[in-house]
Amino acid sequence: MDSNIILGADSYKFSHFYQDPPGTTLKQSHVVARGINKKFADYVSEITFFGLQSFIRERLLKPFTFSQIDFAQRFAAKHGVPFNREGWLRILKTHHGYLPVMIRALPEGTSVPIGVAQVVVENTDPDFPWLPSYIETELLRSVWYPSTVATISRAAKKIILAGLEKTSDDPDGQIGFKLHDFGQRGVSSRESAGLGGAAHLVNFLGTDTTEGVLHAMDYYTSPMDATGFSIPAMEHSTVTVWGREHEGDAFKNMLEKSPGPIIACVSDSYDIYNAAVNIWG
């Protein structure tokens, strides 16, 4: 599908270019969390902001083209909304297809109280005051989900750390691996896996979401050896393929062939108590 930023807005925004009062030259839009789900209210009082870099690099640093204007106009006509062809052509001519907007934002990973603006967008060319709110749809899509993931995982980290401080000799050294991410199989796309997986890495180091690590490397210049970590691990299929009578052989094979000091062994394929007491024990 054509990655056309002109078509990245909600349909109703196509008509906003003529709705401002005459003489309007500057507008600002901002991203702010207005509230929190009641079930998280006891654990979340701040929002952790994350996800802006990929939006900027993927959508704002790539110019649109004349053919994309033409296609957007045809789409709008069939879709039932007006189209600002003159405005988009002037942006193409004057700014070479790049949107004349300025974004001010908190450093990603920053946690702030609900109600504090995380992002402010304004137009830099007085001829296009409708642009800041036009890109709201794509901007919110880029930061809403990863900020939610980062916020919830930060709340989980605080709860886990409180327990470690009561029970561990090294809470700070252990906390990074106490909530492991297997989320890439349960999201809607590779992009979601990247955004959510990288957001998890704001707070933790353990992950099996490869897309999250790659996202952090691509958009945040995070080094490969300091971003997210996993270990060799069994799954039920690599145990049951040996057959019930050879479950112990599956465990033995894993111990003998796996590199490194840490591995994960699935032990409940048949009977977790038998595995713990009679095989491992």
Side-chain angles (χ1 to χ4, degrees):
M1 187 168 64
D2 185 19
S3 182
N4 188 345
I5 195 168
I6 302 173
L7 295 175
D10 293 313
S11 302
Y12 71 90
K13 289 183 180 291
F14 280 53
S15 65
H16 285 187
F17 68 96
Y18 58 73
Q19 296 183 29
D20 293 327
T24 302
T25 59
L26 177 66
K27 288 179 68 176
Q28 291 183 334
S29 294
H30 64 277
V31 175
V32 60
R34 294 181 292 182
I36 193 71
N37 191 304
K38 291 182 179 179
K39 65 182 178 181
F40 297 120
D42 291 339
Y43 309 103
V44 177
S45 59
E46 296 180 322
I47 302 298
T48 302
F49 171 64
F50 188 75
L52 180 63
Q53 284 296 315
S54 58
F55 167 70
I56 292 174
R57 294 177 62 176
E58 286 296 323
R59 305 300 283 147
L60 298 186
L61 297 185
K62 297 178 180 179
F64 63 83
T65 65
F66 183 84
S67 63
Q68 288 178 321
I69 296 175
D70 274 352
F71 180 84
Q73 183 176 19
R74 295 197 302 273
F75 172 85
K78 298 294 185 181
H79 191 47
V81 293
F83 184 69
N84 187 9
R85 181 178 179 86
E86 179 184 352
W88 289 109
L89 285 174
R90 285 164 60 198
I91 294 174
L92 180 63
K93 179 179 179 180
T94 306
H95 301 283
H96 310 290
Y98 295 97
L99 302 189
V101 296
M102 177 172 65
I103 297 178
R104 293 193 292 270
L106 297 173
E108 295 193 50
T110 300
S111 298
V112 293
I114 294 168
V116 174
Q118 301 162 26
V119 183
V120 178
V121 185
E122 66 181 57
N123 57 296
T124 58
D125 185 324
D127 288 336
F128 309 105
W130 48 270
L131 265 180
S133 63
Y134 193 88
I135 65 172
E136 173 198 34
T137 308
E138 290 214 47
L139 176 58
L140 286 179
R141 185 171 61 213
S142 297
V143 303
W144 195 321
Y145 169 62
S147 293
T148 300
V149 172
T151 297
I152 294 175
S153 72
R154 179 173 181 263
K157 184 176 182 179
K158 291 165 69 175
I159 295 170
I160 297 169
L161 184 59
L164 284 175
E165 288 172 345
K166 296 178 181 179
T167 60
S168 172
D169 294 329
D170 183 23
D172 292 333
Q174 292 189 358
I175 185 61
F177 295 94
K178 291 303 182 183
L179 186 62
H180 201 83
D181 178 18
F182 290 95
Q184 69 180 356
R185 64 184 59 194
V187 293
S188 60
S189 64
R190 290 179 57 238
E191 290 78 7
S192 295
L195 283 167
H200 169 80
L201 296 172
V202 171
N203 300 294
F204 292 95
L205 293 170
T207 183
D208 266 47
T209 299
T210 53
E211 294 286 354
V213 178
L214 295 172
H215 188 94
M217 291 167 54
D218 286 345
Y219 296 110
Y220 298 89
T221 61
S222 181
M224 187 182 299
D225 60 352
T227 302
F229 304 91
S230 185
I231 58 173
M234 307 180 85
E235 67 175 21
H236 290 112
S237 72
T238 63
V239 178
T240 58
V241 70
W242 291 75
R244 189 180 189 118
E245 300 304 316
H246 294 279
E247 186 177 16
D249 294 327
F251 297 158
K252 183 174 183 290
N253 178 71
M254 183 69 174
L255 289 173
E256 290 178 347
K257 293 184 178 179
S258 292
I262 302 174
I263 59 175
C265 297
V266 172
S267 300
D268 66 343
S269 297
Y270 302 106
D271 183 339
I272 183 69
Y273 300 103
N274 178 67
V277 174
N278 298 317
I279 302 179
W280 291 116

